[in-house]
């Protein structure tokens, strides 16, 4: 599953550490999600979308 987290985070001038701190996860978790190495829980996906002012459907792209 691909995602747009990195581009939305960078457009806000945020570091991975900043996003991680706000969401209560580690920087390594954000890094793994951004690099498509970890699919977040539904709760974390929803919190990411809310924080980045988008929807889960827009944030994550399901591979066919």
């Amino acid at each position: 599953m691909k995602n747009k987290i990195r581009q939305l985070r960078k457009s806000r001038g945020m570091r991975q550490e900043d996003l991680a701190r706000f969401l209560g996860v580690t920087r390594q978790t954000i890094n793994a999600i951004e690099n498509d190495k970890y699919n977040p829980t539904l709760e974390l996906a929803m919190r990411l979308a809310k924080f980045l002012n988008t929807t889960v459907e827009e944030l994550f792209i399901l591979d066919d």
Side-chain angles (χ1 to χ4, degrees):
M1 181 165 51
K2 305 289 183 198
N3 66 74
K4 298 178 183 177
I5 297 169
R6 178 177 285 126
Q7 77 183 67
L8 292 174
R9 173 181 58 77
K10 285 187 173 188
S11 73
R12 288 171 167 61
M14 295 183 73
R15 301 174 304 156
Q16 287 180 339
E17 293 86 353
D18 302 326
L19 183 56
R21 188 175 312 114
F22 177 81
L23 296 171
V25 298
T26 65
R27 183 200 58 80
Q28 290 84 354
T29 298
I30 299 300
N31 185 51
I33 296 170
E34 286 185 352
N35 289 301
D36 305 321
K37 303 224 183 280
Y38 173 73
N39 291 329
T41 63
L42 180 57
E43 179 184 354
L44 181 53
M46 292 178 79
R47 289 175 34 215
L48 276 161
K50 184 175 181 179
F51 181 77
L52 295 170
N53 198 32
T54 189
T55 64
V56 172
E57 293 84 0
E58 288 290 321
L59 190 58
F60 294 95
I61 300 98
L62 188 60
D63 294 331
D64 289 332

